[in-house]
Amino acid sequence: MGLFSLTKEIAIDLGTANTIILHNDKIVIDEPSIVAIEKNTGKPIAVGKDAHMMQGKENPNIQTIRPLRQGVIADFNAAEMMIRGLVKKSSGSRGWFSPSLRMVVGIPSGSTEVQIRAVRDSSEHAGGRDVYMIYEPMAAALGIGLDVEAPTGNMIVDIGGGTTEIAVISLGGIVTNKSIQIAGDDLTEDIIGHMRRAHNLRVGERTAEQIKIHVGSALTELENPPEDYVVHGPNHVTALPMEVPVSYQEIAHCLEKSISKIETAVLNALEQTPPELYADIVKNGIWLAGGGAMIRGLDKRLTDKIGIQFHVADDPLLSVARGTAVALKNVDKFSFLIR
């Protein structure tokens, strides 16, 4: 596409936690899925990183909204403002401007017709002329580099912010699909609750996210353990400042319940898989994608528990986004795109 093309092609991974936009195979936006609005007027003040910096620090006239909850649009107007703002940001100051957009958007595989319609409407209102959608596990498989149209079974576990998508893919279609609303946000909530119960320490979403990044683990014994992470915050009872070092073993215990639910969902999906495809999966292994795939020791834990080798994608955070970009280049070829 030239700089002055009347149609701009973009691929969007519309995630609960982060939204990634690619143009010409380059990531132009990788920012939190959040918008800040002025309460009096309802107008957007900031989107993405700028709005994320305001989260938890708002004055009474500013509200920060995460439009997507558990993989689906929870606030239609906020979603539209966020998509429009991020698409505008993606243009930067480089001078190219397109009056219409051709876009491919990644959506959860468990989406209902109403939820698919909400994504389509938001995308169209944000300037999309041709809007295509692709299920996230299919996009993740494309992003990893798997041949999704081959007569071979491939299993993807995409652990995002709001949902964990588990799918068996063969011949360009999803054969077995399991979508559960246990994912990155739930792990963050587990940490918030644990810090309150175990240490009487009040932490917000952003701090809990940092704890997860620095010492998040699925195992209580790691070969290369991270150093303890020091958390600062107010005592829940006295409001006096506290400083608490947190170890990866402690976080592994507090994440146990949610990770066990993900394990169970993977086993349920395998139970529903046809025998021939099951044999392929045992041979090829299972691929982990999404931000949750970066939890330390998760692949080893799942491999030991289920008995099938789990592989973490090379760049799990970007697997879905890169897959939507592949789909964008082949919209006429791929029959599995939702038009």
Side-chain angles (χ1 to χ4, degrees), residues 12-19 33 66-75 79 82-83 105-112 114-120 122 133-137 158-165 179-186 320:
I12 302 179
D13 172 13
L14 192 63
T16 303
N18 290 288
T19 293
S33 300
R66 288 180 61 187
L68 288 102
R69 286 284 168 188
Q70 298 182 320
V72 297
I73 291 176
D75 188 321
M82 185 189 78
I83 296 169
V105 185
I107 57 169
S109 56
S111 299
T112 64
V114 172
Q115 289 160 352
I116 291 171
R117 184 79 238 172
V119 175
R120 183 182 298 284
S122 290
M133 280 169 279
I134 181 172
Y135 288 127
E136 285 169 0
D158 175 27
I159 307 169
T163 58
T164 293
E165 308 285 320
S179 180
I180 62 166
Q181 293 178 340
I182 301 287
D185 286 350
D186 298 273
V320 172

Side-chain angles (χ1 to χ4, degrees), residues 29-37 44-58 62-65 85-86 89 206:
I29 288 289
D30 181 359
E31 301 199 10
S33 300
I34 189 166
V35 59
I37 63 166
I45 302 168
V47 294
K49 287 177 185 170
D50 299 332
H52 188 246
M53 289 174 72
M54 299 178 183
Q55 191 179 20
K57 302 177 182 180
E58 309 94 331
I62 296 174
Q63 181 183 12
T64 54
I65 302 170
L86 290 174
K89 244 190 192 186
R206 287 175 64 185

Side-chain angles (χ1 to χ4, degrees), residues 11-295:
I12 302 179
D13 172 13
L14 192 63
T16 303
N18 290 288
T19 293
I20 301 170
I21 300 178
L22 289 92
H23 174 63
N24 286 343
D25 285 339
K26 290 181 183 173
I27 295 166
V28 289
I29 288 289
D30 181 359
E31 301 199 10
S33 300
I34 189 166
V35 59
I37 63 166
E38 192 175 18
K39 283 186 182 177
N40 292 343
T41 61
K43 290 181 179 176
I45 302 168
V47 294
K49 287 177 185 170
D50 299 332
H52 188 246
M53 289 174 72
M54 299 178 183
Q55 191 179 20
K57 302 177 182 180
E58 309 94 331
N59 65 45
N61 191 38
I62 296 174
Q63 181 183 12
T64 54
I65 302 170
R66 288 180 61 187
L68 288 102
R69 286 284 168 188
Q70 298 182 320
V72 297
I73 291 176
D75 188 321
F76 184 83
N77 290 328
E80 186 186 320
M81 286 189 282
M82 185 189 78
I83 296 169
R84 191 188 295 273
L86 290 174
V87 167
K88 191 177 176 184
K89 244 190 192 186
S90 73
S91 300
S93 55
R94 285 169 285 186
W96 42 263
F97 170 78
S98 308
S100 62
L101 297 168
R102 188 185 210 202
M103 56 174 78
V104 175
V105 185
I107 57 169
S109 56
S111 299
T112 64
E113 288 298 322
V114 172
Q115 289 160 352
I116 291 171
R117 184 79 238 172
V119 175
R120 183 182 298 284
D121 288 349
S122 290
S123 303
E124 287 174 350
H125 291 165
R129 186 193 67 186
D130 297 322
V131 179
Y132 300 86
M133 280 169 279
I134 181 172
Y135 288 127
E136 285 169 0
M138 185 69 79
L142 286 172
I144 289 166
L146 303 177
D147 183 357
V148 297
E149 295 186 296
T152 305
N154 286 298
M155 190 170 193
I156 306 290
V157 180
D158 175 27
I159 307 169
T163 58
T164 293
E165 308 285 320
I166 304 160
V168 174
I169 294 165
S170 176
L171 293 168
I174 292 176
V175 181
T176 302
N177 168 50
K178 185 88 179 165
S179 180
I180 62 166
Q181 293 178 340
I182 301 287
D185 286 350
D186 298 273
L187 302 181
T188 304
E189 286 297 322
D190 288 345
I191 292 169
I192 291 172
H194 170 77
M195 295 305 289
R196 182 173 174 173
R197 287 190 308 272
H199 301 290
N200 249 345
L201 183 68
R202 200 165 74 237
V203 299
E205 207 172 287
R206 287 175 64 185
T207 303
E209 189 71 29
Q210 286 302 309
I211 295 170
K212 187 170 72 178
I213 290 166
H214 284 91
V215 287
S217 174
L219 293 172
T220 53
E221 288 186 23
L222 294 174
E223 287 182 12
N224 298 304
E227 290 183 11
D228 290 0
Y229 182 67
V230 179
V231 185
H232 297 89
N235 183 292
H236 185 67
V237 179
T238 65
L240 293 172
M242 291 181 69
E243 185 179 282
V244 177
V246 183
S247 68
Y248 78 91
Q249 291 106 327
E250 185 180 339
I251 298 305
H253 283 300
C254 98
L255 300 182
E256 171 68 32
K257 198 173 176 183
S258 293
I259 291 174
S260 292
K261 289 178 181 175
I262 294 171
E263 279 178 0
T264 303
V266 173
L267 285 166
N268 288 344
L270 283 167
E271 279 175 17
Q272 298 164 18
T273 303
E276 297 298 332
L277 294 178
Y278 192 104
D280 289 338
I281 292 164
V282 171
K283 180 182 168 187
N284 299 330
I286 298 171
W287 289 91
L288 288 170
M294 298 170 75
I295 295 284

